[in-house]
Amino acid sequence: MKRFFRMILTAMLALPLGALSAQAAPVKGRILVIASSEGTLELANHTRMSTGFFLNELAVPTEYLAQKGWEIVLATPEGKDPIMDQGSNDKKFFQDKETERARAEAFVNGLKPISFQQTIQGGLDRYDALFIPGGHAPMGSLMENQDLGTILKDFHAKEKPTALICHGPAAALAALPDPAGYRKALVDRDVRSVLALGKGWIYEGYAMTALSDAEEWPGEVAKGTEMPFHLEQALQLAGGKIQVQGMNQSHVVKDRELITGQNPASDLELAKALEKALKK
């Protein structure tokens, strides 16, 4: 028996400090994380680019909050595994470089998604906060998804913390009365319809941030074409009060229950802002 306990103690001491603290932390509640299973996005010239979630934007906030005792529940539209933007699987996006990148990838791979319908049917009252990471994927069909609109409206009505980062705020447009029509009008550059269909958004008048046009343009120049629409404008035309600051620097905006981060560099600051909101 003594030998058994010595083996357990040796194994515990061999674990990284973060693993010990994550295991020891009591479960405080659940955070619902939304991601897309789409791997491509059609651009303005009708070519398609590979996309998905941005690794650090998904992993850094969720791993941080998991270590603080929050259970992370991942949901995608049909319960399929989300697709990672392979361009984000790079140590340059992480402070501790390769070690942190590898840990982030392993953490995300350990999250097994459920579908939006399972999420809703299981009861949204089970969740204390909502988080949507970026990557260009939210600019696709995720922002048209009616089930996501239902989820967003429930969290908004109950004033529960709702955090989005980089391109993630595009998904918040699913809470419009006709999000599919709004997206089509954006893609078609139909300004009259955009203005008409952008009315009635639950986040109208909210201060928020997202990836700025200035941060998007270098990628567009490299591709030789534009995104299907510009996120900063799409949010503004629906009534969002956009606040952007600098280039590729951490910037987080909080207004009521909504917490938004401007870019990948905002990952940890957004996680801490969400943690603070959960403590209230």
Side-chain angles (χ1 to χ4, degrees):
M1 183 63 72
K2 289 182 179 179
R3 182 183 178 188
F4 173 75
F5 282 116
R6 282 199 301 270
M7 290 171 62
I8 294 296
L9 180 59
T10 301
M12 289 178 65
L13 290 174
L15 287 170
L17 182 59
L20 282 171
S21 61
Q23 290 182 1
V27 176
K28 297 176 180 177
R30 294 186 182 90
I31 298 173
L32 178 62
V33 179
I34 298 294
S36 170
S37 298
E38 288 184 310
T40 63
L41 180 71
E42 184 175 309
L43 301 173
N45 67 354
H46 304 297
T47 62
R48 301 194 74 87
M49 62 175 277
S50 297
T51 187
F53 67 83
F54 229 63
L55 178 58
N56 74 295
E57 292 175 13
L58 174 54
V60 172
T62 54
E63 187 176 14
Y64 174 87
L65 291 161
Q67 289 179 344
K68 298 294 183 178
W70 296 92
E71 180 184 348
I72 305 300
V73 178
L74 177 63
T76 61
E78 297 177 350
K80 297 178 181 178
D81 288 337
I83 295 175
M84 177 170 54
D85 183 332
Q86 289 302 316
S88 72
N89 194 8
D90 192 313
K91 63 184 181 182
K92 70 182 180 182
F93 295 109
F94 298 90
Q95 293 180 356
D96 293 333
K97 304 305 179 186
E98 180 56 26
T99 299
E100 189 175 346
R101 184 214 61 78
R103 190 176 71 241
E105 185 177 16
F107 182 84
V108 169
N109 287 340
L111 298 174
K112 302 306 176 187
I114 59 175
S115 70
F116 286 175
Q117 275 296 307
Q118 287 174 302
T119 304
I120 294 168
Q121 291 169 4
L124 295 175
D125 287 339
R126 299 170 65 240
Y127 303 100
D128 301 283
L130 177 66
F131 171 52
I132 305 179
H136 286 92
M139 295 178 67
S141 64
L142 192 62
M143 65 178 280
E144 304 176 330
N145 190 284
Q146 293 184 348
D147 287 335
L148 178 55
T150 297
I151 293 168
L152 287 161
K153 290 171 186 176
D154 183 89
F155 276 74
H156 171 72
K158 294 169 183 172
E159 300 180 341
K160 292 195 287 189
T162 301
L164 312 96
I165 186 170
C166 200
H167 291 90
L173 294 165
L176 279 166
D178 181 6
Y182 187 71
R183 187 182 189 280
K184 184 178 186 302
L186 289 169
V187 172
D188 292 343
R189 308 297 199 262
D190 182 353
V191 178
R192 186 184 298 272
S193 295
V194 167
L195 293 174
L197 294 167
K199 297 183 184 301
W201 193 30
I202 59 175
Y203 302 115
E204 180 180 357
Y206 274 62
M208 62 184 71
T209 191
L211 192 79
S212 67
D213 285 351
E215 290 168 307
E216 190 78 87
W217 285 333
E220 291 180 311
V221 170
K223 293 177 181 67
T225 186
E226 294 183 355
M227 291 295 117
F229 57 87
H230 286 110
L231 179 56
E232 189 177 345
Q233 296 170 18
L235 298 170
Q236 285 178 322
L237 291 168
K241 305 300 182 184
I242 305 301
Q243 300 176 2
V244 295
Q245 188 174 8
M247 289 277 287
N248 306 313
Q249 299 174 8
S250 180
H251 177 54
V252 170
V253 174
K254 184 180 184 304
D255 187 352
R256 286 159 278 186
E257 83 277 11
L258 191 67
I259 305 166
T260 48
Q262 182 174 328
N263 48 37
S266 309
D267 54 6
L268 185 57
E269 184 181 354
L270 180 123
K272 291 179 178 180
L274 179 52
E275 180 193 18
K276 183 176 179 180
L278 282 163
K279 288 180 178 178
K280 293 184 178 179

